[in-house]
């Protein structure tokens, strides 16, 4: 499938190490809204500017997220609809999000703080034991993946023993090497698994988020909608946080000043997490938007039916919003980053992800202050074409 896409269409998914390819920034600085080549006669636009991306992401009257716009395009079928919030428009989006919002406030999430700390400490023990037993520690396998996986299982009330399947499906859905149909096929398989989970929860609601929603709103949401919600939370809360823990850890391990600030200042993690989210922006491209009406963005006329993709990784480095946006500066004052999206589709689990990152980074360095990457950048298995950018392994020396 990817061979049908011109290189210009794949460019927003390509990186050099942690950084987007230079061509993406050059395009943004020259033309923050540009027409893309696309197959099947699709008229498509790539938005790379910060303000222009915000304009698209907030204009729900002008742009739709509805999955039905994708059916029949790029080999995608109606049966592959994952449901959930990402591919829904108001009023359905408003109704479904209402079930979740109360549980993802900072106040509600505080109850998870001790459990997240325990999960982080437990994985640090795993790393130490692995090395003590003659093995090699891997920041992805031993730390970045299990922390959000355990946390999201705890939140939703899903058995951690089942994590293998949804971890695999979470990675597959964002990997474009298998084509668009492969990505949406992984979503369908994930929803199929979660339909079984929801059916069990409806009969006997547990203490997790799924059980809570079904107890309080069971008559307002059917099993398919509930599985879509769970799917979005499970994968959105897993793959993105895994990538941030690994890639953010890599950035910090390579920067002595960042390492020192995390160890010296209790308030440093809050600021640093936001800067790492901005510089990494693991969700490289937002969910596609479909123009409902003729509209103008960045001086370009977008017609009804056009597909619009916002490059969040390019927008977060837009030099029009601050100086030296290609560098890491935890003390900078710039507008909020777009790593969690923007507008009504902004990630509902953003505060949970922040809590995990703010806990994990300083704990890692306090436990292993001399930790270092055990591979060069050229040796690391970065994902070459993935909507959520990441690295599949990150061997480390604990020091």
């Amino acid at each position: 499938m990817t061979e049908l896409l011109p290189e210009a269409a794949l460019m927003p998914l390509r990186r050099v190490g942690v950084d987007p390819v230079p061509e993406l920034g050059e395009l943004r600085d020259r033309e923050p809204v540009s027409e893309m080549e696309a197959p099947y006669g699709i008229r498509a636009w790539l938005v790379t500017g910060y303000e222009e991306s915000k304009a698209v992401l907030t204009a729900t009257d002008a742009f739709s997220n509805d999955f039905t716009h994708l059916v029949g395009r790029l080999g995608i079928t109606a049966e592959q609809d994952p449901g959930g919030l990402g591919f829904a428009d108001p009023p359905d989006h408003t109704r479904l999000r209402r079930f979740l919002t109360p549980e993802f406030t900072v106040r509600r999430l505080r109850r998870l703080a001790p459990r997240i700390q325990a999960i982080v400490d437990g994985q640090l023990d795993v790393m130490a034991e692995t090395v003590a037993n003659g093995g090699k520690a891997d920041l992805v396998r031993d730390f970045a993946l299990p922390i959000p996986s355990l946390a999201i299982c705890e939140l939703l009330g899903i058995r951690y023993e089942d994590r293998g399947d949804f971890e695999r499906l979470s990675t597959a859905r964002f990997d474009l090497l298998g084509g668009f149909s492969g990505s949406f096929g992984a979503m369908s398989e994930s929803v199929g698994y979660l339909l079984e989970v929801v059916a069990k929860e409806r009969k006997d609601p547990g203490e997790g988020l799924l059980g809570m929603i079904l107890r309080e709103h069971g008559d307002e949401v059917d099993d398919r909608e509930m599985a879509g919600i769970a799917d979005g939370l499970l994968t959105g809360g897993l793959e993105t946080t895994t990538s941030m823990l690994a890639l953010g850890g890599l950035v910090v391990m390579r920067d002595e000043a960042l390492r020192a600030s995390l160890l010296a200042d209790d308030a440093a993690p809050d600021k640093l997490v936001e800067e790492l989210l901005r510089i990494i922006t693991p969700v490289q491209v937002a969910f596609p938007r479909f123009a409902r009406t003729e509209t103008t963005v960045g001086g370009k006329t977008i017609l009804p039916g056009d597909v619009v993709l916002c490059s969040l990784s390019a927008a977060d480095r837009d030099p029009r919003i601050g100086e030296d946006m290609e560098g890491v500066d935890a003390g900078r004052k710039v507008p909020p980053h777009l790593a969690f999206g923007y507008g009504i589709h902004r990630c509902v689990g953003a505060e949970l992800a922040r809590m995990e990152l703010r806990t994990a980074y300083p704990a890692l360095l306090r436990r292993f202050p001399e930790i270092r990457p055990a591979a060069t950048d050229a040796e690391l298995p970065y994902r070459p074409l993935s909507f959520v950018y990441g690295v599949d392994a990150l061997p480390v020396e604990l020091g």
Side-chain angles (χ1 to χ4, degrees):
M1 178 66 71
T2 53
E3 65 272 10
L4 296 177
L5 297 175
E7 177 56 33
L10 298 175
M11 181 176 62
L13 302 182
R14 298 199 186 280
R15 297 208 184 190
V16 180
V18 173
D19 301 314
V21 292
E23 294 87 347
L24 187 62
E26 292 165 5
L27 175 63
R28 175 201 58 223
D29 299 344
R30 182 176 67 251
E31 196 176 12
V33 180
S34 57
E35 191 167 357
M36 297 173 61
E37 293 182 60
Y40 305 114
I42 296 172
R43 192 167 185 257
W45 299 87
L46 178 64
V47 181
T48 48
Y50 178 84
E51 291 297 340
E52 292 82 2
S53 293
K54 283 175 60 178
V56 171
L57 298 177
T58 55
T60 51
D61 290 340
F63 297 100
S64 168
N65 278 52
D66 196 321
F67 183 87
T68 57
H69 293 288
L70 278 170
V71 175
R73 297 178 171 186
L74 304 171
I76 296 168
T77 67
E79 290 71 27
Q80 292 174 322
D81 183 358
L85 299 173
F87 290 104
D89 291 334
D92 286 340
H93 177 273
T94 308
R95 178 176 63 86
L96 295 175
R97 190 163 181 127
R98 177 173 59 87
F99 302 146
L100 295 173
T101 301
E103 289 303 306
F104 282 91
T105 60
V106 174
R107 183 175 61 83
R108 289 280 187 96
L109 288 172
R110 283 198 190 107
R111 74 186 190 281
L112 289 176
R115 180 58 184 142
I116 290 174
Q117 184 67 63
I119 290 171
V120 169
D121 292 342
Q123 292 311 127
L124 295 173
D125 290 341
V126 168
M127 293 174 70
E129 289 167 8
T130 297
V131 172
N133 291 328
K136 296 288 186 181
D138 186 298
L139 199 67
V140 174
R141 180 197 65 211
D142 303 328
F143 189 75
L145 178 59
I147 288 171
S149 190
L150 276 163
I152 202 70
C153 283
E154 183 100 6
L155 177 69
L156 294 181
I158 291 177
R159 295 189 314 160
Y160 189 57
E161 291 75 16
D162 295 338
R163 69 192 182 280
D165 283 339
F166 68 71
E167 286 173 0
R168 172 182 59 83
L169 292 168
S170 178
T171 300
R173 71 172 49 211
F174 296 119
D175 186 359
L176 200 55
L177 288 177
F180 288 102
S181 187
S183 294
F184 284 100
M187 293 184 194
S188 299
E189 189 178 344
S190 177
V191 171
Y193 155 71
L194 288 167
L195 277 169
E196 298 177 7
V197 173
V198 170
K200 293 177 183 176
E201 287 286 321
R202 194 177 286 278
K203 290 179 182 177
D204 184 18
E207 296 304 313
L209 181 61
L210 299 183
M212 182 276 295
I213 293 176
L214 289 169
R215 276 195 301 272
E216 297 183 9
H217 306 285
D219 294 338
E220 304 171 59
V221 59
D222 62 33
D223 284 7
R224 187 67 175 74
E225 290 176 323
M226 197 66 228
I229 290 174
D231 177 67
L233 292 173
L234 201 59
T235 55
L238 173 60
E239 199 69 18
T240 53
T241 308
T242 295
S243 294
M244 274 304 306
L245 284 168
L247 296 178
L250 182 61
V251 170
V252 172
M253 283 189 290
R254 289 173 170 168
D255 190 316
E256 293 301 328
L258 293 180
R259 183 193 295 264
S261 70
L262 269 176
L263 292 172
D265 182 0
D266 290 340
D270 292 5
K271 297 176 182 177
L272 179 60
V273 162
E274 297 310 305
E275 178 67 350
L276 290 174
L277 282 163
R278 182 196 68 79
I279 202 71
I280 294 169
T281 309
V283 181
Q284 306 200 80
V285 178
F287 282 118
R289 264 59 175 182
F290 307 92
R292 303 175 190 262
T293 60
E294 181 175 323
T295 187
T296 300
V297 179
K300 302 297 176 70
T301 300
I302 297 172
L303 301 177
D306 287 2
V307 180
V308 180
L309 296 175
C310 292
S311 171
L312 304 180
S313 56
D316 271 341
R317 296 186 181 212
D318 192 333
R320 293 175 295 171
I321 62 172
E323 296 182 2
D324 187 27
M325 298 299 281
E326 297 295 326
V328 179
D329 178 2
R332 74 168 75 245
K333 297 185 184 301
V334 294
H337 59 73
L338 303 181
F340 292 123
Y342 198 76
I344 67 167
H345 286 281
R346 180 179 179 275
C347 176
V348 71
E351 294 309 320
L352 175 61
R354 283 188 168 111
M355 182 181 291
E356 293 174 64
L357 297 172
R358 290 168 180 170
T359 303
Y361 290 140
L364 177 68
L365 290 182
R366 282 195 298 267
R367 183 72 172 270
F368 308 118
E370 299 302 320
I371 188 171
R372 293 287 187 277
T376 66
D377 214 49
E379 294 170 330
L380 292 177
Y382 292 109
R383 293 177 187 160
L385 281 178
S386 180
F387 286 101
V388 176
Y389 188 64
V391 63
D392 289 323
L394 179 49
V396 291
E397 297 288 347
L398 300 186

